[in-house]
Amino acid sequence: MSKLPVHELDVDATVIDAQLDFRAFIDLLRQDGDLAEIDREVDPHLEVGAIVRRVSETNNKAPLFNNIKGAKNGVWRMFGNAASLSGHGRDKYGRVARNLGLPRDASWRDICARTQSAKGAKPLEPRVLETGPCKENKILDPKEIDLHSLPAPLLHQEDGGKYIQTYGVHILQTPDESWTNWSIFRGMIHDKNHIVAQVNPRQHNYVVREKWREQGKTEVPWALAFGIPPAATMAAAMPIPEGVSEGEYVGAIVGEPLDVVKCELSNLMVPANSEIVMEGFMSLNEKAYEGPFGDYLGYAFDDDRRKMPLFRVEAITYRNNPIFPVSVPGRITDESHTTSALAAAEILTFCKNQNLPIRDAYAPLETMATWCVLQIDPPKLRALKTNSRDFCTELGNVLFHQKCSMLVNRFLLVGDDIDIYDFNDITWAFVTRCRPVRDDYAFDDAPALPLTPYQSHGGGDPRRGGKTVSDCLFAMEYTDGPNFLKVDFATSYPAEIQEQVLESWKDMGFND
């Protein structure tokens, strides 16, 4: 896929800069009228979480908290909803678009194309600087580290502790330094100098950890960077292939190298303009209980406590007057859902590389991105001379074993008459074309997503199954094509009647 021609869009230099600098991004939201600057004192104990959650549920302005209770000398601001939705009209995806250097009215298709633009571009190694803004202040004596002294938030009252890590990026590297992985996974304060964080099989952090274990090591150099370039955060949230370093991937997307600086305690590199950087080591042996936490599927279970690896913090560097980003997951729609939905773009790229008859893909936010709708390419599908059972079985066996499909529990196949970006269209196809049981193909042996409530608390093996392909194609669409018409305004009336109605619509007293 070729690089999206940003220069042909209505994008100025400010927009381009915003994808590479967290503060420039916030300034752009202010310029867009999409920032709520809050100067009154706000308590990190639940109040911050309540405001950010309410913003997610109303598609409201992103909040910047300038006066956090407990912050020493006022140093420690907070920012929420960096990639949630903004409004309900044509700028609905505006904030997500701004993360990637796009206009506010960019479509979801534009956004997905932007994330995949690196596929056809040359990876660009980051540019190593001697120093950067993230080095303006340093705490290098481990004895001075006390995570409890920071105004870390309690985000939901049901949480098992203060989650200091919800929207930072963990940085790990393989022992041979051939692959640097940036990823977002939650982390809770355990004690004054340890964070306990989720590390699960199939995640890249687990893959990197196991490579160090194979070397006989007991710990892994680690960094956690907050407030990094927005495009880099988006890349860290995407299921890009194993072995691809996100730093190089971001360079390919934006068209220039990412500026990085060396960590204080290891050879790891972090974005030079990061707001806050924590450095230390991930233990391969020491674990502690993590959770419960109100996660992105909208549930919190009292018994959701599992032993996870400990991350020891030995150094902290930060900018003057740093801004700490937080995400408060829950029911739709927040960063957890928008960044998860970007997996569909990676799935589409995979399908095209495998020459599968798939024209487009979308993970609807209404399903918390656990569904992915695949729009078929009718001529290519019919050329295969296949049928529903054989094709869906082949598709499921391939896709459900790919990292890009890890968060997807249901694929829906639809025809080219369905607008896959319109959930009403998707629902119509699902309820009228997919016969329950007969047109649903279960994959009970596929790797599962244990975070899904029906996997963890619904019975059965939490790590296997729970995956389905639902065929919303009629049998005729595999052979001769459809013999039906939609019954709606756009189909059931001649063009001249439609035009006449639309021209007089407001005059008749209807809303536009």
Side-chain angles (χ1 to χ4, degrees):
M1 184 177 294
S2 60
K3 186 172 179 179
L4 192 69
V6 175
H7 63 278
E8 295 179 5
L9 301 173
D10 183 19
V11 182
D12 59 26
T14 303
V15 177
I16 301 300
D17 291 344
Q19 64 184 328
L20 292 170
D21 184 274
F22 187 65
R23 293 196 184 187
F25 168 70
I26 292 176
D27 287 341
L28 181 57
L29 296 187
R30 184 183 290 112
Q31 178 181 313
D32 287 341
D34 193 26
L35 184 74
E37 223 162 334
I38 303 170
D39 293 324
R40 72 167 177 85
E41 185 179 77
V42 179
D43 197 330
H45 183 86
L46 295 179
E47 189 179 11
V48 165
I51 294 171
V52 173
R53 182 93 289 276
R54 178 65 175 158
V55 167
S56 295
E57 294 176 9
T58 59
N59 294 1
N60 226 302
K61 296 180 180 180
L64 175 62
F65 304 98
N66 289 323
N67 187 1
I68 294 294
K69 183 178 180 180
K72 293 181 178 178
N73 302 318
V75 178
W76 189 278
R77 295 176 286 169
M78 287 189 185
F79 174 75
N81 305 92
S84 57
L85 301 184
S86 51
H88 301 271
R90 65 196 301 261
D91 295 341
K92 176 179 179 180
Y93 305 120
R95 202 173 307 147
V96 184
R98 291 311 203 192
N99 279 265
L100 294 163
L102 293 174
R104 273 186 56 76
D105 61 354
S107 69
W108 194 258
R109 184 182 279 111
D110 292 334
I111 290 168
C112 289
R114 183 79 167 133
T115 66
Q116 296 301 290
S117 63
K119 300 289 185 180
K122 179 182 178 182
L124 294 177
E125 289 190 13
R127 180 169 45 225
V128 181
L129 305 182
E130 286 295 319
T131 188
C134 70
K135 303 287 189 179
E136 290 171 342
N137 302 275
K138 300 179 181 181
I139 303 174
L140 302 181
D141 185 350
K143 295 178 182 178
E144 296 180 13
I145 303 292
D146 185 0
L147 301 178
H148 292 305
S149 70
L150 302 176
L154 182 69
L155 297 175
H156 317 88
Q157 63 182 351
E158 58 269 21
D159 290 350
K162 295 180 179 180
Y163 274 81
I164 196 167
Q165 157 54 6
T166 53
Y167 206 63
V169 170
H170 295 269
I171 299 173
L172 297 167
Q173 192 176 66
T174 54
D176 63 2
E177 300 185 357
S178 64
W179 175 31
T180 302
N181 174 243
W182 294 4
S183 56
I184 302 174
F185 51 95
R186 73 193 197 200
M188 182 181 84
I189 292 178
H190 174 67
D191 59 27
K192 65 188 296 290
N193 66 337
H194 286 91
I195 295 170
V196 55
Q198 284 244 332
V199 178
N200 292 306
R202 298 194 76 205
Q203 290 180 312
H204 286 165
N205 56 16
Y206 183 91
V207 175
V208 173
R209 185 185 73 162
E210 292 308 296
K211 290 183 182 296
W212 283 86
R213 190 186 301 282
E214 292 167 5
Q215 298 283 327
K217 305 296 184 182
T218 60
E219 56 185 19
V220 182
W222 157 80
L224 175 57
F226 299 94
I228 69 171
T233 301
M234 300 298 276
M238 289 172 52
I240 64 177
E242 181 178 324
V244 176
S245 296
E246 282 78 4
E248 297 178 1
Y249 196 85
V250 172
I253 290 177
V254 303
E256 62 178 274
L258 194 64
D259 289 339
V260 297
V261 291
K262 181 180 173 299
C263 282
E264 301 291 323
L265 305 180
S266 69
N267 289 328
L268 292 175
M269 299 289 173
V270 296
N273 58 13
S274 300
E275 292 288 324
I276 304 165
V277 178
M278 296 182 179
E279 299 182 30
F281 299 87
M282 173 176 62
S283 175
L284 295 180
N285 301 318
E286 297 180 17
K287 293 185 177 183
Y289 280 106
E290 184 270 339
F293 181 64
D295 219 322
Y296 79 106
L297 292 175
Y299 291 86
F301 294 96
D302 291 340
D303 60 351
D304 186 17
R305 297 176 69 247
R306 290 184 292 162
K307 284 198 170 183
M308 290 290 172
L310 284 172
F311 294 72
R312 186 174 71 255
V313 182
E314 292 194 352
I316 300 177
T317 66
Y318 57 97
R319 297 182 68 163
N320 293 330
N321 200 15
I323 304 172
F324 177 74
V326 297
S327 177
V328 185
R331 294 180 62 179
I332 58 173
T333 307
D334 58 66
E335 300 78 24
S336 307
H337 309 117
T338 57
T339 54
S340 296
L342 292 176
E346 191 71 26
I347 291 168
L348 177 61
T349 298
F350 174 83
C351 288
K352 290 189 172 182
N353 288 341
Q354 297 296 310
N355 203 30
L356 293 168
I358 304 300
R359 179 176 290 172
D360 206 353
Y362 175 57
L365 295 174
E366 292 87 347
T367 70
M368 302 185 177
T370 63
W371 290 9
C372 183
V373 186
L374 302 176
Q375 184 186 66
I376 58 106
D377 184 317
K380 284 188 176 181
L381 178 66
R382 291 195 286 272
L384 293 177
K385 300 187 183 305
T386 185
N387 57 64
S388 176
R389 178 168 297 280
D390 290 348
F391 182 65
C392 291
T393 300
E394 176 191 0
L395 195 67
N397 284 335
V398 171
L399 287 179
F400 284 132
H401 288 83
Q402 302 302 314
K403 175 68 162 58
C404 56
S405 302
M406 184 178 71
L407 301 179
V408 176
N409 294 331
R410 184 188 296 272
F411 283 103
L412 294 91
L413 284 184
V414 301
D416 63 346
D417 67 308
I418 297 299
D419 180 356
I420 66 171
Y421 298 96
D422 182 340
F423 195 62
N424 288 333
D425 242 21
I426 295 168
T427 304
W428 176 61
F430 186 39
V431 301
T432 62
R433 305 182 189 183
C434 179
R435 178 169 172 169
V437 181
R438 191 189 69 178
D439 294 333
D440 289 316
Y441 301 92
F443 295 82
D444 289 330
D445 203 34
L449 177 64
L451 283 176
T452 306
Y454 57 66
Q455 290 295 128
S456 59
H457 290 78
D461 186 344
R463 296 188 178 277
R464 311 297 299 184
K467 305 286 188 177
T468 303
V469 174
S470 295
D471 192 356
C472 305
L473 301 173
F474 291 123
M476 68 187 78
E477 295 182 79
Y478 284 87
T479 54
D480 303 320
N483 65 356
F484 58 87
L485 294 174
K486 291 182 179 181
V487 179
D488 58 16
F489 179 78
T491 307
S492 299
Y493 306 94
E496 60 271 19
I497 296 295
Q498 293 183 44
E499 185 177 348
Q500 178 180 326
V501 170
L502 292 175
E503 285 180 352
S504 59
W505 191 253
K506 292 183 69 174
D507 292 338
M508 290 188 288
F510 298 113
N511 293 326
D512 189 7

